[in-house]
Amino acid sequence: MTVSPELRGTQADTALKTPALLIEDVSHSYRERRALDHVSFDVQQGTFAVLLGLNGAGKTTLFSLVTRLYATQSGAIAVLGFDVARDPAQALSRLGVVFQARTLDFDLTVMQNLLYHASLHGIGGREGRELAEETLARTQMRDRAQDKVRVLSGGQMRRIEIARALLHRPSLLLLDEPTVGLDVNARKSILRYVRELVADENIGVLWTTHLIDEVDDSDDLIILHRGRVLAKGIAGDLVREAGASNVAGAFERIIAAERSEVEA
Ligand code: ATP
């Protein structure tokens, strides 16, 4: 399967309606175990989308496919119109990723970590330094530039990882359970910060979590369960459609409906 022709090509960056991320009919199996089953959804530019799923739902597998850690077995994935299989360099240059596991070098300073990332993206010298300083200012971490990463708190490290992921000015930011291990205040602060980024910079964000309280009524919500998308849409609309009073209630009803379908 290929990405629709109108979503591909050199004009992709300028086409306003091109989604930041497009997942079309993606399936993935580890030997006989199916981890993703005909998954389709998109993340529009300037949108905060939450991929909500319990353990084993397939969230990390999907991330691994978007970031090309694994090759796509079936279906298609495009970042701002660039197919990750056919045009990986173009697609990946428009992508920023914050992985679940910490990936900063603790023995380097914040600035050194950012410069290293910039050079991996082919941005060196003065340009790299300027971008790093600009990104630190955007993440309100400028005063920590010369600190070693190991002296930062968990929440500050997350901010630096987000700063690093934004350094090369991606159109799509993927965050895989970014609040794992953070206390409630740090969680709220990171969430608020990323939502502001979406509003200020028109990037698309895919925020992966199993924590229902991280979903806001105005978010785009994709519920992934055992490899299948059970519901997608504006969270508030899904709550109403499920006849629930909040996202947690809607999630429970949607999962229960799927369970009874499987058992029938
Ligand atoms: P969690 O929230 O626990 O990290 P997840 O939603 O990220 O879960 P995945 O890690 O993508 O889910 O796993 C989806 C399914 O694929 C699970 O049944 C898991 O056991 C299986 N799986 C994941 N990685 C592998 C692998 N490398 N080999 C075999 N099976 C795997």
Side-chain angles (χ1 to χ4, degrees):
M1 177 155 199
T2 57
V3 175
S4 326
E6 66 270 20
L7 295 178
R8 229 186 292 130
T10 54
Q11 309 248 317
D13 275 300
T14 51
L16 278 179
K17 293 228 170 93
T18 305
L21 175 66
L22 180 67
I23 307 281
E24 271 186 353
D25 203 22
V26 167
S27 295
H28 189 87
S29 299
Y30 299 99
R31 295 178 185 271
E32 66 285 349
R33 180 179 296 129
R34 180 154 273 220
L36 294 174
D37 191 5
H38 298 287
V39 168
S40 296
F41 66 89
D42 60 54
V43 178
Q44 294 296 324
Q45 296 176 51
T47 300
F48 186 90
V50 181
L51 181 66
L52 178 67
L54 303 175
N55 291 338
K59 306 180 297 291
T60 302
T61 302
L62 191 63
F63 259 61
S64 304
L65 293 171
V66 177
T67 55
R68 299 283 296 152
L69 189 61
Y70 303 144
T72 318
Q73 292 171 350
S74 76
I77 298 174
V79 179
L80 208 72
F82 292 100
D83 187 307
V84 298
R86 289 161 178 250
D87 228 341
Q90 292 284 4
L92 295 180
S93 70
R94 285 162 177 80
L95 174 66
V97 188
V98 176
F99 292 102
Q100 209 176 104
R102 297 261 151 75
T103 54
L104 294 169
D105 189 324
F106 279 30
D107 293 319
L108 296 181
T109 65
V110 167
M111 180 56 87
Q112 285 168 331
N113 268 278
L114 295 181
L115 293 177
Y116 180 60
H117 179 81
S119 69
L120 285 181
H121 276 271
I123 310 167
R126 207 162 85 194
E127 193 190 353
R129 188 162 284 274
E130 278 171 10
L131 272 178
E133 274 165 9
E134 191 186 305
T135 313
L136 282 176
R138 276 196 290 164
T139 40
Q140 289 141 31
M141 293 294 289
R142 199 186 226 154
D143 58 332
R144 308 309 298 261
Q146 299 312 324
D147 286 345
K148 288 244 165 77
V149 165
R150 70 168 64 254
V151 305
L152 302 180
S153 71
Q156 288 165 340
M157 285 185 201
R158 272 298 182 215
R159 271 178 190 265
I160 297 302
E161 284 179 318
I162 293 171
R164 186 182 56 176
L166 293 170
L167 193 79
H168 58 287
R169 299 203 162 279
S171 308
L172 173 70
L173 180 63
L174 295 183
L175 303 106
D176 191 6
E177 309 228 16
T179 57
V180 163
L182 299 186
D183 67 31
V184 68
N185 287 334
R187 270 178 62 195
K188 279 193 188 147
S189 146
I190 295 279
L191 250 175
R192 197 180 324 115
Y193 167 64
V194 176
R195 285 182 201 281
E196 281 167 11
L197 266 179
V198 170
D200 295 347
E201 311 206 10
N202 200 38
I203 58 173
V205 167
L206 184 62
W207 176 285
T208 293
T209 188
H210 63 275
L211 300 167
I212 292 170
D213 66 345
E214 293 185 348
V215 184
D216 192 86
D217 270 5
S218 61
D219 293 339
D220 254 8
L221 177 62
I222 303 117
I223 295 181
L224 188 69
H225 188 61
R226 295 195 189 131
R228 288 175 51 217
V229 173
L230 296 189
K232 57 185 168 184
I234 306 291
D237 293 346
L238 295 182
V239 170
R240 268 188 298 283
E241 281 161 24
S245 53
N246 54 30
V247 176
F251 184 74
E252 259 172 45
R253 286 183 186 205
I254 289 165
I255 300 281
E258 192 260 359
R259 198 173 297 133
S260 55
E261 205 177 281
V262 170
E263 285 165 5

